[in-house]
Amino acid sequence: MKKGQLGFLAGTHAVNDLYQGAIPAMLPFLMSERHYSYAAVSGLAFAASGVSSLFQPLFGILSDRKPRTWLVPAGFITAALGVVAAGLSGNYMATWLCIALAGIGIAAYHPPATSQARAAGGSSQKAMSIFSVGGTVGGSIAPSLVTLVIGSAGFNGSYLLATPALVMLFLWALKGPWMHWRGYVEATPLVTGASAESAADKPRRSDDWRAFARLVVVIIGWSIPFVTVTSLVSLHAQRDLGQSTAAGAAALTSYTAAGAVGTLLGGWVGDRYGRMTSVRIGYLLALPALVGIAWAPTFPVLVASTVLFGAAMFLPFAAQVTLAQDYLPNRPGTASGLTLGLAMAAGGLCSPAFGWLADSSGLRAAFYALLLVFIIPVVMAMRLPDHVPDSPDGQSTEPLKAENAESAQ
């Protein structure tokens, strides 16, 4: 494991996903100052997650053909530009287009960065969880940062939100000379067009598209409640429980912060007890937590349910990323793009529908409908197969893992 590179990539992930988290944090301010409806803000959620997810597989295919590390800084800078422009824009359509631009930047970042993180961390679930939690930390900081900037300076101060991206861009520019001076060698991405040709004489596993398709369905079912809760939980706290904007932002922050804890815990559970254990526990805990969000009669109950839901939803996150790459071992960028991208698009596509339901029947009705949808991925997640990466000589490492498990006992 190349800890320095992994840590730096986790830092870029934090910056990139800060802008992903900034968008839902801006929605209450947009509703109050620009008088948008639930359906309108759900449409903005689609512009962020839906458009991003539709573009992400394309960037994954590009990453598999040839290493394009420049997409990492280009991604988070574009995301920052879109968020800042959305805050400064004056009408709904311009805001929608700016948020869509931010979503494209977020999409450009993830496939190449995820492939680099897997290369730097190897097959360790803990390594992937460290990279993943960088994004979760960035998302958890976003509500507080947006509340601080927009709450004090208004949307005219949105340009201040570009500061994290500019700092990380400066550090990225220094990374190459620093690594050269220290004698470090950057981890090689798992598979590229060039490396695939040079390794043609080595045994290779075939891609399991059937298992991958099942995982995609599970992640679609994961993304719908994830995006919808992210978009509506702060509004739930304010409109149904009579809380302030700051309290709503705190609920959203607790959700994303709990996700960071869940991501790290999921990596530890995956390495210690197997990644399918983290997947199954996560989905089984998330179901009653979502019931608590929908039912919550008081703000403390909502926060407690939100914290449990955030942690449970991210327990399987690192495992789902590595499962996708192991189902498609010859196309890791495509696997990342489809699972973190196209599958996640379902959350953005469905978000306006739950927004319309909230407009007509209230937020609680929308959350109860969400609960019914979530039962499907919970059941399917229990039956996902586990694929163990082959060793360099082409032999499965399953016997070795079994021996390690026996010795640990």
Side-chain angles (χ1 to χ4, degrees), residues 16-24 26 43-59 71-72 74-86 94-112 337 340-342 344-345 348:
N16 184 78
D17 283 19
L18 182 150
Y19 296 104
Q20 190 171 27
I23 294 168
M26 292 171 67
L44 294 177
F46 165 73
S49 60
V51 172
S52 171
S53 301
L54 291 171
F55 274 86
Q56 204 154 285
L58 301 178
F59 290 111
L71 281 174
V72 174
F76 62 71
I77 284 294
T78 303
L81 175 63
V83 167
V84 170
T95 302
W96 196 96
L97 291 173
C98 291
I99 289 180
L101 176 65
I104 293 172
I106 293 165
Y109 169 87
H110 277 111
L340 298 177
L342 191 59
M344 287 289 288

Side-chain angles (χ1 to χ4, degrees), residues 344-396:
M344 287 289 288
L349 288 169
C350 293
S351 184
F354 289 100
W356 292 325
L357 181 59
D359 280 331
S360 61
S361 304
L363 284 165
R364 290 189 188 276
F367 283 121
Y368 279 119
L370 192 64
L371 179 64
L372 295 177
V373 172
F374 189 50
I375 292 173
I376 298 172
V378 171
V379 173
M380 292 190 66
M382 301 301 107
R383 300 180 60 82
L384 283 174
D386 190 6
H387 281 233
V388 180
D390 289 347
S391 62
D393 62 359
Q395 300 298 317
S396 173

Side-chain angles (χ1 to χ4, degrees), residues 4 17 19 35-36 225 253-254 285 392:
D17 283 19
Y19 296 104
H35 309 293
Y36 294 158
T253 299
S254 67
L285 287 177

Side-chain angles (χ1 to χ4, degrees), residues 302-339:
L302 176 64
V303 172
S305 300
T306 301
V307 167
L308 178 59
F309 186 70
M313 286 291 278
F314 280 89
L315 270 174
F317 193 82
Q320 289 177 163
V321 173
T322 58
L323 273 172
Q325 292 177 334
D326 289 341
Y327 289 159
L328 302 183
N330 303 304
R331 296 173 176 84
T334 301
S336 300
L338 286 171
T339 52

